[in-house]
Structures are given as C-alpha cells and as structure tokens.
Amino acid sequence: GEDVEQSLFLSVREGDSSVINCTYTDSSSTYLYWYKQEPGAGLQLLTYIFSNMDMKQDQRLTVLLNKKDKHLSLRIADTQTGDSAIYFCAENWSGSARQLTFGSGTQLTVLP
Amino acid sequence: DGGITQSPKYLFRKEGQNVTLSCEQNLNHDAMYWYRQDPGQGLRLIYYSQIVNDFQKGDIAEGYSVSREKKESFPLTVTSAQKNPTAFYLCASSIGLAAPGPGYQETQYFGPGTRLLVL
C-alpha cells in the first residue's frame, strides 16, 4: 500500500530557513499536501501541490516536488518561533476516493 | 463562521464503557472523516462517509462505530471492544461528491480534536 515517510525532528535557529522532507511511494498521487499542527490542536492546511508541478511558492513557503524520486520538501524562509509545530505531508491517492495517507509528522523546533 | 467543531475537548472513558465523540460541520461538505492520532505517528483513518446514510471502514475501524444521519454530523462511538482507546481523535470534512469531477483538488479541513483518556 501507500507509504509516506518523514524524519521525526528538526531544529533550526530563528531567522534561518527550515527544510522539511518527505518521501512517498505511490506514483499515482495527484495532489500532495503540507499540514501544520500546533500543540493540542487540529491540522491546518498550509499548501498543496499538483503532481505535474515541480515547485510552488506561497510567501515564506516553498514546496519542491521531485516526482522521479518521489520526494517532497517544504522550505520555510526566515523561520520564526511561531513556526514551531508538527508538520505533516500527505498524499491523495488517485485510486482511492478522497483518502489521504499521512506521514508521521516532523516536529519543528525553532530556537531563539 | 464556517468550520468544523468537535466536542468535548477532553473525554474520559471507564472500563467497559462506550463513549461518543461529536463532529459537526457547517461547510456544506458531503464527505466526512475520522482519524486517530497517536504520539509520533501520523493520522490513521478510522471511518469515512461520502454521503448521508453511507460510510466505509478505514484502516483501523475495529472497536469503533459511526453514523451519518445528517449531512452536518458524523459522530464516532468508541466501543468497549476498543482495548487501547487513549488517543487524539480528529474529524475532517471535504467537498466530496459535489466536486466538479475526478482529479479535483479536495482539501480536507480539520476540527480541533478530542483527546480521549481511559480512567
């Protein structure tokens, strides 16, 4: 079945860039998503990318998709303490009605 | 304000007890979902519903039950058969069958979650 993998932890200094990586196995994914979860809260959609795109930029966020290597990344420029959260990547498998497969999440800690 | 609400925020379950988690949305979405989140793990799908009076099992449906009598509501019951119910439960919804066609980007919007603890 589909599998999505992320590293569990990432620490960066305030003002630096953060890069959160994700690999997936399903080559028929149509959309890939990044969600943010703050402590004790639900998931908030940050951005998504269509599988025929290589890059998408939205203010401080840049998503890169390497479809050949099945690798997705989220770059956060000028990382702030408010960016500390868990970040989930998810893929929407075209073969299954509207189901998302989530990675295990990356805990981003921003150090002052 | 449109959105998804879940209640209660915290829920305590005694041994052998069934408990029900509420999920309501006013986004006019057809599809609704229940996920379970355990520490250090991603979200796992429990049940989903694409339309009123219809629902399908997800990856970890055992010990859970749902109903979908109204478009706005998708309650989840954690039964006594679920031996390890302690987790954070998240409800989500998406546009579902009203989407214009296959391949349409369909964001899932999440509620704030319910934390279930066992006494």
Side-chain angles (χ1 to χ4, degrees), chain A residues 45-56:
Chain A
L45 177 72
L46 287 178
T47 188
Y48 63 88
I49 187 167
F50 187 45
S51 57
N52 71 353
M53 296 170 65
D54 298 323
M55 186 181 87
K56 181 178 180 181

Side-chain angles (χ1 to χ4, degrees), chain A residues 19-84:
Chain A
V19 179
I20 303 170
N21 295 302
C22 173
T23 57
Y24 61 97
T25 56
D26 182 15
S27 58
S28 63
S29 296
T30 50
Y31 290 94
L32 296 117
Y33 299 82
W34 284 104
Y35 283 88
K36 175 183 180 182
Q37 184 181 38
E38 296 183 354
L43 273 65
Q44 171 197 353
L45 177 72
L46 287 178
T47 188
Y48 63 88
I49 187 167
F50 187 45
S51 57
N52 71 353
M53 296 170 65
D54 298 323
M55 186 181 87
K56 181 178 180 181
Q57 188 152 6
D58 183 1
Q59 299 184 335
R60 291 192 298 125
L61 304 179
T62 303
V63 178
L64 295 178
L65 176 60
N66 182 329
K67 201 171 180 184
K68 174 175 167 288
D69 294 338
K70 296 180 191 157
H71 182 265
L72 181 74
S73 68
L74 174 70
R75 179 177 180 270
I76 305 173
D78 187 26
T79 313
Q80 302 298 307
T81 54
D83 295 323
S84 292

Side-chain angles (χ1 to χ4, degrees), chain A residues 31 33 35 37 42 98-99 103, chain B residues 37 42 50 96 103 105-106 108:
Chain A
Y31 290 94
Y33 299 82
Y35 283 88
Q37 184 181 38
R98 301 174 179 85
Q99 288 192 43
Chain B
Q37 184 180 18
Q50 296 195 71
Q105 188 286 119
E106 196 171 326
Q108 289 188 19

Side-chain angles (χ1 to χ4, degrees), chain B residues 27-85:
Chain B
L27 300 168
N28 200 32
H29 285 169
D30 284 311
M32 297 186 75
Y33 313 80
W34 274 106
Y35 292 92
R36 172 179 170 138
Q37 184 180 18
D38 293 283
Q41 298 189 34
L43 278 66
R44 292 183 289 168
L45 184 66
I46 305 173
Y47 268 98
Y48 67 101
S49 168
Q50 296 195 71
I51 200 165
V52 173
N53 292 323
D54 184 61
F55 47 82
Q56 287 81 41
K57 292 181 180 180
D59 300 320
I60 55 163
E62 186 174 346
Y64 300 98
S65 66
V66 293
S67 62
R68 187 87 187 274
E69 296 176 4
K70 297 188 298 182
K71 188 175 183 177
E72 308 80 35
S73 179
F74 191 40
L76 172 75
T77 296
V78 183
T79 75
S80 57
Q82 173 48 247
K83 298 306 178 191
N84 183 23

